[in-house]
Amino acid sequence: MSASATIATANRASVSEQSEEQKMVKKVAVSSFLGNFIEWFDYASYSYFATTIALVFFPSGNHMVAMLQTFGVFALSFVLRPIGALFWGNFGDKKGRKGALAISIMFMSGASFLIGCLPSYAAIGIFAPALLLLLRMVQGFSASGEYAGAATFIAEYSPKNHRGFYCSMVPASTAVGLLVGSLFATWMFNTFGATSDFVVDWGWRIPFWLAGPLGYITHYIREHLEDSPVYEKMQAELAEKGMKSEDKPIRTLFKKHFRVLAISFGACVLNAVGFYAVLTYLPNYLEATLNYDPGQASIITTIVLVVYIGFIFLSGRISDKFGRKKMLITAAAGFVVFTIPAFWLLNTLDFFTILVVELVMCLMLTINDGTLSSYLCETFPTDVRYSGFALSFNLANAIFGGSASYISFALINVTGDPIAPAYYMVFIAVLALGAMIASHEHTGKDLSEV
Protein backbone atom coordinates (compact mmCIF):
# COMPACT_ATOMS: atom_id res chain seq x y z
CA MET A 1 0.00 0.00 0.00
CA SER A 2 1.37 3.44 -0.95
CA ALA A 3 2.15 6.09 1.66
CA SER A 4 -0.70 8.31 0.42
CA ALA A 5 -3.17 5.41 0.65
CA THR A 6 -1.98 4.63 4.18
CA ILE A 7 -2.46 8.27 5.22
CA ALA A 8 -5.91 8.36 3.62
CA THR A 9 -6.92 5.17 5.47
CA ALA A 10 -5.62 6.61 8.75
CA ASN A 11 -7.51 9.86 8.16
CA ARG A 12 -10.76 7.97 7.47
CA ALA A 13 -10.25 5.94 10.63
CA SER A 14 -9.63 9.14 12.60
CA VAL A 15 -12.75 10.80 11.17
CA SER A 16 -14.80 7.67 11.89
CA GLU A 17 -13.50 7.59 15.48
CA GLN A 18 -14.33 11.27 15.96
CA SER A 19 -17.80 10.67 14.53
CA GLU A 20 -18.42 7.84 16.99
CA GLU A 21 -17.23 10.03 19.87
CA GLN A 22 -19.57 12.83 18.79
CA LYS A 23 -22.49 10.38 18.62
CA MET A 24 -21.68 9.13 22.12
CA VAL A 25 -21.45 12.68 23.48
CA LYS A 26 -24.88 13.42 21.97
CA LYS A 27 -26.39 10.31 23.57
CA VAL A 28 -24.89 11.27 26.93
CA ALA A 29 -26.24 14.80 26.51
CA VAL A 30 -29.73 13.50 25.67
CA SER A 31 -29.82 11.13 28.64
CA SER A 32 -28.51 13.84 30.99
CA PHE A 33 -31.02 16.32 29.61
CA LEU A 34 -34.00 13.96 29.96
CA GLY A 35 -33.14 12.79 33.46
CA ASN A 36 -32.72 16.28 34.82
CA PHE A 37 -35.80 17.46 32.90
CA ILE A 38 -37.98 14.86 34.65
CA GLU A 39 -36.71 15.92 38.07
CA TRP A 40 -37.39 19.61 37.54
CA PHE A 41 -40.64 19.18 35.65
CA ASP A 42 -41.83 17.44 38.81
CA TYR A 43 -40.53 20.21 41.07
CA ALA A 44 -42.04 22.87 38.81
CA SER A 45 -45.39 21.13 38.82
CA TYR A 46 -45.37 20.93 42.61
CA SER A 47 -44.45 24.61 42.96
CA TYR A 48 -46.73 26.06 40.28
CA PHE A 49 -49.67 23.93 41.44
CA ALA A 50 -48.92 24.74 45.09
CA THR A 51 -52.23 26.52 45.64
CA THR A 52 -54.11 23.52 44.18
CA ILE A 53 -52.06 20.93 46.11
CA ALA A 54 -52.77 22.91 49.29
CA LEU A 55 -56.50 22.44 48.66
CA VAL A 56 -56.13 18.72 47.95
CA PHE A 57 -53.84 17.70 50.82
CA PHE A 58 -54.06 20.53 53.38
CA PRO A 59 -57.65 21.85 53.52
CA SER A 60 -57.64 24.79 55.92
CA GLY A 61 -59.61 27.95 56.51
CA ASN A 62 -56.33 29.90 56.50
CA HIS A 63 -54.77 30.04 53.01
CA MET A 64 -51.34 31.13 54.33
CA VAL A 65 -51.26 28.17 56.75
CA ALA A 66 -52.14 25.76 53.92
CA MET A 67 -49.40 27.27 51.71
CA LEU A 68 -46.86 26.99 54.54
CA GLN A 69 -47.81 23.32 54.99
CA THR A 70 -47.48 22.68 51.26
CA PHE A 71 -44.04 24.28 51.07
CA GLY A 72 -43.15 22.61 54.36
CA VAL A 73 -43.51 19.23 52.62
CA PHE A 74 -41.49 20.66 49.73
CA ALA A 75 -38.72 21.64 52.17
CA LEU A 76 -38.81 18.36 54.14
CA SER A 77 -38.33 16.38 50.93
CA PHE A 78 -34.86 17.91 50.79
CA VAL A 79 -33.86 16.39 54.14
CA LEU A 80 -32.84 13.13 52.45
CA ARG A 81 -30.85 14.88 49.73
CA PRO A 82 -27.51 14.85 51.58
CA ILE A 83 -28.06 11.18 52.49
CA GLY A 84 -28.91 10.44 48.88
CA ALA A 85 -25.83 12.40 47.78
CA LEU A 86 -23.63 10.21 49.99
CA PHE A 87 -25.24 7.06 48.62
CA TRP A 88 -25.28 7.92 44.90
CA GLY A 89 -21.93 9.73 45.00
CA ASN A 90 -20.31 6.72 46.67
CA PHE A 91 -22.03 4.41 44.16
CA GLY A 92 -20.94 6.51 41.17
CA ASP A 93 -17.31 6.79 42.26
CA LYS A 94 -16.99 3.08 43.13
CA LYS A 95 -19.14 1.39 40.47
CA GLY A 96 -19.31 3.97 37.70
CA ARG A 97 -21.41 6.95 36.64
CA LYS A 98 -23.62 5.00 34.24
CA GLY A 99 -24.94 2.49 36.78
CA ALA A 100 -25.79 5.11 39.40
CA LEU A 101 -27.70 7.23 36.89
CA ALA A 102 -29.57 4.28 35.34
CA ILE A 103 -30.89 3.13 38.74
CA SER A 104 -31.60 6.52 40.33
CA ILE A 105 -33.84 7.64 37.44
CA MET A 106 -36.21 4.72 38.03
CA PHE A 107 -36.66 5.56 41.72
CA MET A 108 -37.09 9.24 40.96
CA SER A 109 -39.62 8.90 38.14
CA GLY A 110 -41.49 6.12 39.96
CA ALA A 111 -42.01 8.29 43.05
CA SER A 112 -43.19 11.17 40.87
CA PHE A 113 -45.69 8.93 39.07
CA LEU A 114 -47.12 7.66 42.38
CA ILE A 115 -47.62 11.22 43.65
CA GLY A 116 -50.05 11.69 40.78
CA CYS A 117 -51.98 8.63 41.98
CA LEU A 118 -52.42 9.73 45.61
CA PRO A 119 -55.94 10.04 47.08
CA SER A 120 -56.90 13.41 48.54
CA TYR A 121 -57.26 14.44 52.20
CA ALA A 122 -61.03 14.19 51.77
CA ALA A 123 -60.65 10.51 50.80
CA ILE A 124 -58.16 9.14 53.34
CA GLY A 125 -57.57 11.96 55.81
CA ILE A 126 -54.14 12.48 57.38
CA PHE A 127 -52.68 9.57 55.38
CA ALA A 128 -52.84 11.71 52.21
CA PRO A 129 -50.28 14.36 53.28
CA ALA A 130 -48.24 11.62 55.04
CA LEU A 131 -47.95 9.63 51.79
CA LEU A 132 -47.21 12.83 49.88
CA LEU A 133 -44.31 13.54 52.23
CA LEU A 134 -43.04 9.95 51.97
CA LEU A 135 -43.01 9.99 48.17
CA ARG A 136 -41.44 13.45 48.09
CA MET A 137 -38.65 12.13 50.31
CA VAL A 138 -38.10 9.09 48.06
CA GLN A 139 -38.01 11.44 45.12
CA GLY A 140 -35.56 13.73 46.92
CA PHE A 141 -33.31 10.79 47.85
CA SER A 142 -33.08 9.52 44.28
CA ALA A 143 -32.94 12.96 42.66
CA SER A 144 -29.91 13.89 44.77
CA GLY A 145 -27.72 11.86 42.43
CA GLU A 146 -29.28 13.09 39.20
CA TYR A 147 -27.99 16.63 38.76
CA ALA A 148 -24.47 15.85 40.00
CA GLY A 149 -24.30 12.55 38.11
CA ALA A 150 -25.59 14.00 34.85
CA ALA A 151 -23.15 16.92 35.01
CA THR A 152 -20.22 14.65 35.93
CA PHE A 153 -21.08 12.21 33.14
CA ILE A 154 -21.30 14.86 30.44
CA ALA A 155 -18.24 16.77 31.73
CA GLU A 156 -16.11 13.61 31.53
CA TYR A 157 -17.21 13.06 27.94
CA SER A 158 -16.97 16.66 26.64
CA PRO A 159 -13.91 18.38 25.10
CA LYS A 160 -12.08 20.41 27.76
CA ASN A 161 -12.27 23.69 25.81
CA HIS A 162 -16.07 23.34 25.46
CA ARG A 163 -16.85 21.79 28.84
CA GLY A 164 -18.72 24.84 30.13
CA PHE A 165 -21.05 24.81 27.14
CA TYR A 166 -21.78 21.09 27.34
CA CYS A 167 -22.29 21.18 31.11
CA SER A 168 -24.71 24.08 30.69
CA MET A 169 -27.12 21.55 29.15
CA VAL A 170 -27.78 20.23 32.65
CA PRO A 171 -29.10 23.52 34.12
CA ALA A 172 -30.75 24.20 30.75
CA SER A 173 -32.75 20.99 31.12
CA THR A 174 -33.72 22.25 34.57
CA ALA A 175 -35.09 25.40 32.97
CA VAL A 176 -36.91 23.45 30.25
CA GLY A 177 -38.55 21.32 32.95
CA LEU A 178 -39.66 24.46 34.75
CA LEU A 179 -40.79 26.04 31.48
CA VAL A 180 -42.95 23.07 30.48
CA GLY A 181 -44.38 22.99 34.00
CA SER A 182 -45.09 26.71 33.85
CA LEU A 183 -46.71 26.45 30.40
CA PHE A 184 -48.89 23.58 31.54
CA ALA A 185 -49.94 25.42 34.71
CA THR A 186 -50.60 28.65 32.76
CA TRP A 187 -52.77 26.83 30.23
CA MET A 188 -54.61 24.93 32.97
CA PHE A 189 -55.29 28.01 35.11
CA ASN A 190 -56.35 30.20 32.19
CA THR A 191 -58.60 27.48 30.72
CA PHE A 192 -60.23 25.99 33.80
CA GLY A 193 -59.26 28.18 36.76
CA ALA A 194 -56.80 27.39 39.57
CA THR A 195 -59.52 26.12 41.93
CA SER A 196 -61.87 24.50 39.42
CA ASP A 197 -63.12 20.95 40.09
CA PHE A 198 -61.18 19.56 37.11
CA VAL A 199 -57.84 21.05 38.18
CA VAL A 200 -58.30 20.09 41.84
CA ASP A 201 -59.46 16.54 41.07
CA TRP A 202 -57.32 15.56 38.05
CA GLY A 203 -55.51 18.39 36.27
CA TRP A 204 -52.61 18.77 38.72
CA ARG A 205 -51.91 15.00 38.53
CA ILE A 206 -51.11 14.87 34.79
CA PRO A 207 -47.50 16.19 34.94
CA PHE A 208 -46.65 13.67 37.67
CA TRP A 209 -48.05 10.78 35.60
CA LEU A 210 -45.83 11.79 32.67
CA ALA A 211 -42.73 11.04 34.76
CA GLY A 212 -43.38 7.29 34.45
CA PRO A 213 -42.84 6.77 30.69
CA LEU A 214 -40.17 9.50 30.47
CA GLY A 215 -38.20 7.83 33.26
CA TYR A 216 -38.30 4.46 31.50
CA ILE A 217 -37.02 5.99 28.23
CA THR A 218 -34.13 7.68 30.06
CA HIS A 219 -33.27 4.44 31.88
CA TYR A 220 -33.17 2.56 28.57
CA ILE A 221 -30.80 5.09 26.98
CA ARG A 222 -28.45 5.03 29.97
CA GLU A 223 -28.36 1.25 30.07
CA HIS A 224 -26.96 1.26 26.52
CA LEU A 225 -24.16 3.79 27.13
CA GLU A 226 -20.51 3.17 27.95
CA ASP A 227 -19.14 4.67 31.14
CA SER A 228 -17.22 7.95 30.84
CA PRO A 229 -13.74 7.78 29.26
CA VAL A 230 -12.20 9.71 32.18
CA TYR A 231 -13.58 7.21 34.70
CA GLU A 232 -12.53 4.22 32.58
CA LYS A 233 -9.04 5.70 32.18
CA MET A 234 -8.75 5.96 35.97
CA GLN A 235 -9.89 2.34 36.34
CA ALA A 236 -7.40 1.17 33.71
CA GLU A 237 -4.51 3.01 35.42
CA LEU A 238 -5.47 1.48 38.76
CA ALA A 239 -5.63 -1.98 37.20
CA GLU A 240 -2.11 -1.55 35.74
CA LYS A 241 -0.83 -0.76 39.23
CA GLY A 242 -2.71 -3.73 40.70
CA MET A 243 -4.99 -1.42 42.66
CA LYS A 244 -8.77 -1.10 42.97
CA SER A 245 -10.97 2.00 42.86
CA GLU A 246 -11.33 3.98 46.06
CA ASP A 247 -13.14 1.76 48.57
CA LYS A 248 -14.55 4.64 50.59
CA PRO A 249 -14.74 7.77 48.40
CA ILE A 250 -16.61 9.76 51.06
CA ARG A 251 -13.87 9.21 53.65
CA THR A 252 -11.24 10.28 51.10
CA LEU A 253 -13.32 13.33 50.23
CA PHE A 254 -13.42 14.55 53.83
CA LYS A 255 -9.86 13.53 54.65
CA LYS A 256 -8.04 14.93 51.60
CA HIS A 257 -10.39 17.46 50.03
CA PHE A 258 -12.31 19.06 52.92
CA ARG A 259 -11.29 22.65 52.10
CA VAL A 260 -12.37 22.24 48.49
CA LEU A 261 -15.64 20.66 49.66
CA ALA A 262 -16.34 23.61 51.99
CA ILE A 263 -15.65 26.17 49.24
CA SER A 264 -17.84 24.24 46.80
CA PHE A 265 -20.64 24.19 49.37
CA GLY A 266 -20.35 27.97 49.68
CA ALA A 267 -20.51 28.34 45.90
CA CYS A 268 -23.65 26.18 45.78
CA VAL A 269 -25.48 28.12 48.50
CA LEU A 270 -26.26 31.09 46.24
CA ASN A 271 -27.38 28.80 43.44
CA ALA A 272 -29.70 26.94 45.82
CA VAL A 273 -31.44 30.05 47.18
CA GLY A 274 -31.27 32.07 43.96
CA PHE A 275 -32.71 29.30 41.81
CA TYR A 276 -35.76 28.64 43.98
CA ALA A 277 -36.26 32.29 44.83
CA VAL A 278 -36.16 33.58 41.24
CA LEU A 279 -37.82 30.72 39.34
CA THR A 280 -40.29 29.15 41.78
CA TYR A 281 -40.81 31.48 44.77
CA LEU A 282 -41.39 34.80 42.96
CA PRO A 283 -44.56 33.64 41.13
CA ASN A 284 -46.03 32.57 44.49
CA TYR A 285 -44.75 35.77 46.14
CA LEU A 286 -46.56 37.89 43.56
CA GLU A 287 -49.79 35.96 44.02
CA ALA A 288 -49.86 35.22 47.77
CA THR A 289 -48.12 38.33 49.18
CA LEU A 290 -48.82 41.07 46.64
CA ASN A 291 -52.20 39.67 45.44
CA TYR A 292 -51.02 39.89 41.84
CA ASP A 293 -53.08 38.18 39.13
CA PRO A 294 -52.02 34.46 38.87
CA GLY A 295 -52.44 34.43 35.08
CA GLN A 296 -50.18 37.49 34.65
CA ALA A 297 -47.62 36.02 37.06
CA SER A 298 -47.56 32.78 35.05
CA ILE A 299 -47.03 34.69 31.78
CA ILE A 300 -44.06 36.56 33.29
CA THR A 301 -42.58 33.32 34.61
CA THR A 302 -42.91 31.69 31.20
CA ILE A 303 -41.15 34.60 29.45
CA VAL A 304 -38.38 34.57 32.05
CA LEU A 305 -37.82 30.83 31.64
CA VAL A 306 -37.55 31.10 27.85
CA VAL A 307 -34.92 33.83 28.21
CA TYR A 308 -33.22 31.86 30.98
CA ILE A 309 -32.59 28.89 28.67
CA GLY A 310 -30.81 31.11 26.15
CA PHE A 311 -28.82 32.84 28.89
CA ILE A 312 -27.73 29.48 30.32
CA PHE A 313 -26.06 28.31 27.09
CA LEU A 314 -24.49 31.74 26.60
CA SER A 315 -23.17 31.71 30.16
CA GLY A 316 -21.65 28.25 29.72
CA ARG A 317 -19.92 29.30 26.49
CA ILE A 318 -18.59 32.55 28.00
CA SER A 319 -17.25 30.66 31.02
CA ASP A 320 -15.07 28.57 28.69
CA LYS A 321 -13.26 31.78 27.71
CA PHE A 322 -13.70 34.03 30.75
CA GLY A 323 -13.17 31.45 33.52
CA ARG A 324 -15.55 29.88 36.06
CA LYS A 325 -14.29 31.80 39.11
CA LYS A 326 -14.78 35.24 37.54
CA MET A 327 -18.28 34.31 36.40
CA LEU A 328 -19.35 33.08 39.84
CA ILE A 329 -17.91 36.14 41.61
CA THR A 330 -19.78 38.39 39.16
CA ALA A 331 -23.08 36.62 39.90
CA ALA A 332 -22.66 36.84 43.68
CA ALA A 333 -21.77 40.55 43.54
CA GLY A 334 -24.80 41.18 41.31
CA PHE A 335 -27.20 39.61 43.81
CA VAL A 336 -25.67 41.63 46.67
CA VAL A 337 -26.22 44.92 44.83
CA PHE A 338 -29.51 44.37 43.01
CA THR A 339 -31.76 42.14 45.15
CA ILE A 340 -33.23 44.73 47.57
CA PRO A 341 -34.00 47.31 44.82
CA ALA A 342 -35.55 44.46 42.81
CA PHE A 343 -38.06 43.64 45.56
CA TRP A 344 -38.96 47.32 45.91
CA LEU A 345 -39.71 47.46 42.18
CA LEU A 346 -41.83 44.28 42.33
CA ASN A 347 -44.19 46.09 44.70
CA THR A 348 -45.16 48.50 41.92
CA LEU A 349 -47.34 45.65 40.54
CA ASP A 350 -46.69 46.97 37.02
CA PHE A 351 -46.46 44.12 34.48
CA PHE A 352 -43.49 45.46 32.50
CA THR A 353 -41.59 46.58 35.61
CA ILE A 354 -41.98 43.12 37.15
CA LEU A 355 -40.93 41.48 33.87
CA VAL A 356 -37.75 43.60 33.59
CA VAL A 357 -36.86 42.99 37.25
CA GLU A 358 -37.26 39.22 36.91
CA LEU A 359 -35.26 39.21 33.67
CA VAL A 360 -32.35 41.03 35.34
CA MET A 361 -32.45 38.61 38.31
CA CYS A 362 -32.65 35.76 35.81
CA LEU A 363 -29.51 37.03 34.05
CA MET A 364 -27.59 37.11 37.34
CA LEU A 365 -28.83 33.63 38.19
CA THR A 366 -27.74 32.18 34.83
CA ILE A 367 -24.24 33.61 35.23
CA ASN A 368 -24.07 31.42 38.33
CA ASP A 369 -26.18 28.49 37.18
CA GLY A 370 -24.63 28.14 33.72
CA THR A 371 -21.15 28.01 35.26
CA LEU A 372 -21.60 26.08 38.50
CA SER A 373 -21.82 22.53 37.10
CA SER A 374 -18.59 22.79 35.09
CA TYR A 375 -16.89 24.52 38.05
CA LEU A 376 -17.80 21.69 40.43
CA CYS A 377 -16.69 19.00 37.97
CA GLU A 378 -13.32 20.71 37.57
CA THR A 379 -12.88 21.15 41.33
CA PHE A 380 -12.76 17.49 42.41
CA PRO A 381 -10.46 14.68 41.18
CA THR A 382 -11.97 11.71 39.34
CA ASP A 383 -11.96 9.29 42.30
CA VAL A 384 -14.26 11.57 44.36
CA ARG A 385 -15.77 13.82 41.67
CA TYR A 386 -19.30 12.40 41.83
CA SER A 387 -19.28 12.37 45.65
CA GLY A 388 -17.84 15.88 45.98
CA PHE A 389 -20.25 17.40 43.48
CA ALA A 390 -23.28 15.55 44.85
CA LEU A 391 -22.59 16.30 48.51
CA SER A 392 -21.73 20.01 48.17
CA PHE A 393 -24.63 20.65 45.78
CA ASN A 394 -27.26 18.66 47.67
CA LEU A 395 -26.23 19.77 51.14
CA ALA A 396 -26.59 23.39 50.03
CA ASN A 397 -29.98 22.61 48.51
CA ALA A 398 -31.13 20.69 51.57
CA ILE A 399 -30.25 23.48 53.99
CA PHE A 400 -30.97 26.54 51.88
CA GLY A 401 -32.69 25.59 48.61
CA GLY A 402 -35.66 23.49 49.66
CA SER A 403 -36.42 25.88 52.51
CA ALA A 404 -36.11 29.08 50.43
CA SER A 405 -39.83 29.46 49.70
CA TYR A 406 -40.83 28.44 53.23
CA ILE A 407 -38.35 30.82 54.89
CA SER A 408 -39.39 33.64 52.57
CA PHE A 409 -43.09 33.24 53.40
CA ALA A 410 -42.26 32.83 57.12
CA LEU A 411 -40.10 36.00 57.18
CA ILE A 412 -42.95 38.01 55.69
CA ASN A 413 -45.42 36.41 58.09
CA VAL A 414 -43.26 37.20 61.16
CA THR A 415 -41.95 40.67 60.21
CA GLY A 416 -44.84 41.96 58.14
CA ASP A 417 -42.22 43.32 55.71
CA PRO A 418 -42.93 42.24 52.10
CA ILE A 419 -39.28 42.65 51.09
CA ALA A 420 -37.86 40.61 54.02
CA PRO A 421 -36.84 37.76 51.64
CA ALA A 422 -34.50 40.21 49.86
CA TYR A 423 -32.38 40.68 52.98
CA TYR A 424 -32.08 36.92 53.32
CA MET A 425 -30.93 36.56 49.71
CA VAL A 426 -28.31 39.30 50.13
CA PHE A 427 -26.91 37.51 53.19
CA ILE A 428 -26.63 34.27 51.18
CA ALA A 429 -24.95 36.10 48.27
CA VAL A 430 -22.32 37.53 50.64
CA LEU A 431 -21.50 34.01 51.89
CA ALA A 432 -21.13 32.76 48.31
CA LEU A 433 -18.96 35.73 47.34
CA GLY A 434 -16.53 34.93 50.16
CA ALA A 435 -16.35 31.27 49.10
CA MET A 436 -15.62 32.13 45.48
CA ILE A 437 -12.88 34.61 46.37
CA ALA A 438 -11.18 31.75 48.26
CA SER A 439 -11.55 29.28 45.35
CA HIS A 440 -9.09 28.31 42.61
CA GLU A 441 -9.47 28.47 38.83
CA HIS A 442 -9.42 25.16 36.92
CA THR A 443 -11.11 26.19 33.66
CA GLY A 444 -9.91 24.15 30.67
CA LYS A 445 -7.94 21.55 32.64
CA ASP A 446 -7.98 17.91 31.58
CA LEU A 447 -10.20 16.25 34.19
CA SER A 448 -7.74 13.37 34.55
CA GLU A 449 -5.19 15.92 35.80
CA VAL A 450 -7.35 17.64 38.43
Side-chain angles (χ1 to χ4, degrees):
M1 182 181 291
S2 66
S4 59
T6 302
I7 293 172
T9 301
N11 287 337
R12 283 196 297 271
S14 176
V15 170
S16 177
E17 185 177 337
Q18 290 176 359
S19 178
E20 286 300 316
E21 288 178 358
Q22 290 173 353
K23 287 180 181 178
M24 185 61 70
V25 171
K26 288 180 180 178
K27 287 181 180 179
V28 170
V30 169
S31 72
S32 298
F33 190 96
L34 278 176
N36 209 48
F37 168 83
I38 295 167
E39 177 185 352
W40 294 103
F41 180 50
D42 166 75
Y43 277 87
S45 300
Y46 190 94
S47 182
Y48 296 139
F49 282 100
T51 54
T52 305
I53 291 172
L55 292 174
V56 175
F57 294 99
F58 304 100
S60 170
N62 188 320
H63 178 65
M64 180 59 77
V65 171
M67 288 291 289
L68 284 171
Q69 290 172 326
T70 301
F71 279 110
V73 168
F74 184 82
L76 286 172
S77 69
F78 281 72
V79 170
L80 286 183
R81 280 202 161 217
I83 299 173
L86 292 173
F87 177 83
W88 296 112
N90 190 69
F91 191 121
D93 284 329
K94 286 179 65 176
K95 305 295 184 181
R97 314 340 187 176
K98 166 190 165 179
L101 287 168
I103 297 171
S104 66
I105 189 65
M106 294 305 291
F107 279 96
M108 187 176 72
S109 58
S112 297
F113 178 82
L114 290 175
I115 286 174
C117 301
L118 285 178
S120 66
Y121 185 93
I124 60 172
I126 193 66
F127 290 106
L131 287 171
L132 175 65
L133 175 59
L134 176 63
L135 289 172
R136 290 294 299 176
M137 295 186 84
V138 171
Q139 203 271 352
F141 174 82
S142 53
S144 60
E146 181 60 42
Y147 192 99
T152 299
F153 204 35
I154 199 169
E156 292 181 343
Y157 261 103
S158 60
K160 62 182 181 181
N161 57 329
H162 297 297
R163 189 179 299 128
F165 174 73
Y166 277 102
C167 283
S168 68
M169 291 184 183
V170 178
S173 64
T174 299
V176 173
L178 292 173
L179 174 61
V180 175
S182 174
L183 287 172
F184 185 82
T186 300
W187 173 78
M188 191 75 74
F189 291 158
N190 289 334
T191 304
F192 302 102
T195 58
S196 67
D197 290 341
F198 174 76
V199 173
V200 173
D201 292 339
W202 299 106
W204 70 271
R205 301 176 185 273
I206 296 173
F208 294 96
W209 287 337
L210 291 174
L214 288 174
Y216 178 77
I217 292 170
T218 307
H219 171 78
Y220 179 84
I221 294 173
R222 287 175 174 174
E223 278 289 302
H224 291 79
L225 290 173
E226 297 294 330
D227 221 322
S228 79
V230 174
Y231 183 80
E232 290 188 334
K233 179 182 178 182
M234 181 191 75
Q235 295 286 43
E237 290 174 350
L238 289 172
E240 286 179 7
K241 299 174 183 178
M243 301 168 62
K244 296 181 180 180
S245 59
E246 187 63 57
D247 186 50
K248 296 180 179 179
I250 299 299
R251 183 177 64 182
T252 302
L253 179 66
F254 279 96
K255 187 176 180 180
K256 297 183 178 180
H257 310 286
F258 183 77
R259 181 180 181 276
V260 173
L261 181 66
I263 291 173
S264 298
F265 171 79
C268 292
V269 164
L270 177 59
N271 180 266
V273 174
F275 179 85
Y276 289 102
V278 174
L279 297 180
T280 63
Y281 168 69
L282 283 186
N284 288 292
Y285 171 78
L286 291 170
E287 297 170 32
T289 304
L290 303 182
N291 296 315
Y292 193 66
D293 178 67
Q296 295 292 302
S298 293
I299 291 172
I300 290 173
T301 301
T302 301
I303 295 172
V304 168
L305 285 170
V306 171
V307 175
Y308 175 92
I309 295 168
F311 280 167
I312 279 287
F313 287 116
L314 181 62
S315 176
R317 189 173 290 280
I318 292 174
S319 76
D320 282 323
K321 300 181 182 298
F322 193 57
R324 324 294 184 212
K325 180 175 179 177
K326 293 176 183 177
M327 295 286 282
L328 292 170
I329 286 176
T330 300
F335 273 108
V336 170
V337 172
F338 186 72
T339 300
I340 293 174
F343 271 76
W344 284 337
L345 291 170
L346 289 176
N347 280 266
T348 63
L349 297 181
D350 176 71
F351 178 89
F352 289 103
T353 301
I354 293 172
L355 176 60
V356 170
V357 167
E358 289 203 29
L359 285 173
V360 173
M361 294 188 77
C362 170
L363 174 60
M364 293 188 302
L365 177 62
T366 55
I367 293 173
N368 175 283
D369 207 2
T371 308
L372 185 65
S373 57
S374 51
Y375 164 80
L376 292 173
C377 288
E378 292 168 343
T379 297
F380 298 98
T382 305
D383 59 338
V384 295
R385 181 168 295 126
Y386 201 147
S387 299
F389 191 139
L391 185 59
S392 57
F393 184 81
N394 286 287
L395 191 61
N397 275 274
I399 298 173
F400 296 99
S403 63
S405 295
Y406 184 88
I407 289 175
S408 297
F409 274 121
L411 285 172
I412 294 171
N413 205 31
V414 170
T415 65
D417 185 354
I419 67 166
Y423 303 124
Y424 176 62
M425 191 180 296
V426 169
F427 169 71
I428 294 298
V430 170
L431 291 180
L433 182 60
M436 288 317 306
I437 290 172
S439 69
H440 294 288
E441 183 68 81
H442 297 292
T443 301
K445 273 191 175 182
D446 189 314
L447 291 183
S448 297
E449 300 172 0
V450 174

